[in-house]
């Protein structure tokens, strides 16, 4: 039997796997068939597809794309009904559980600095949880 063809979203993103559902949408790990890159794609929830909510979704991520900070994931594309961000392989901050307290405090300070950078641009992250905060290959936090 042949290999099952992956689900394609927005004409060029092949779904590798679901990363989960959040308050604003579903997130997938995908391959961008235009360049072969592995990226994260977020699709808004169906009930956000009303024009006002969809515009708010697009504006928030378009604003985030203007922030240049190593702790804020790079927004790649804000499409009409999806967005893509850079994939940050690594563990979530949940992996810090059980670490010496100074490591955890360093992470808390780093997260506070990331949030401060967002706030300086008028943005508020409304859903901070371990799944949204990753440790990159160098051990730095990325939101």
């Amino acid at each position: 039997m042949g290999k099952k063809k992956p689900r394609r979203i927005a004409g060029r993103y092949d779904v590798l796997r679901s990363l989960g559902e959040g308050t604003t949408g579903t997130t997938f790990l995908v391959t961008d068939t235009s360049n072969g890159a592995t990226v994260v794609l977020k699709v808004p929830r169906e009930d956000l597809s009303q024009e006002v909510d969809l515009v708010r979704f697009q504006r928030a991520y378009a604003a985030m794309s203007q922030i240049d900070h190593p702790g804020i994931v790079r927004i790649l594309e804000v499409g009409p009904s999806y967005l893509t961000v850079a994939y940050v392989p690594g563990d979530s901050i949940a992996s810090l559980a059980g670490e010496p307290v100074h490591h955890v405090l360093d992470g808390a300070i780093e997260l506070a600095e990331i949030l401060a950078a967002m706030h300086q641009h008028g943005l508020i992250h409304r859903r901070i949880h371990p799944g949204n905060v990753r440790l990159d290959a160098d051990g730095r936090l990325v939101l």
Side-chain angles (χ1 to χ4, degrees), residues 89-141:
D91 293 326
S92 78
I93 59 167
S95 67
L96 293 177
E99 289 288 321
V101 71
H102 69 277
H103 286 256
V104 176
L105 290 175
D106 288 346
I109 291 167
E110 194 174 350
L111 181 57
E113 290 169 350
I114 294 167
L115 293 171
M118 290 182 71
H119 293 176
Q120 288 172 352
H121 286 83
L123 296 171
I124 298 171
H125 196 296
R126 290 179 165 81
R127 186 133 165 85
I128 302 295
H129 61 81
N132 282 344
V133 185
R134 311 288 298 168
L135 290 165
D136 70 10
D138 296 321
R140 291 182 305 240
L141 296 186

Side-chain angles (χ1 to χ4, degrees), residues 40-88:
V40 174
L41 181 136
K42 187 168 189 173
V43 178
R45 283 190 345 234
E46 290 292 325
D47 59 337
L48 284 184
S49 62
Q50 294 180 4
E51 193 171 325
V52 172
D53 291 329
L54 190 55
V55 167
R56 188 178 306 133
F57 176 89
Q58 291 169 325
R59 280 187 190 154
Y61 286 102
M64 269 186 70
S65 71
Q66 302 305 309
I67 302 173
D68 183 21
H69 188 283
I72 297 174
V73 71
R74 190 167 38 97
I75 306 289
L76 302 172
E77 180 180 6
V78 180
S81 60
Y82 66 91
L83 71 102
T84 58
V85 301
Y87 173 54
V88 179

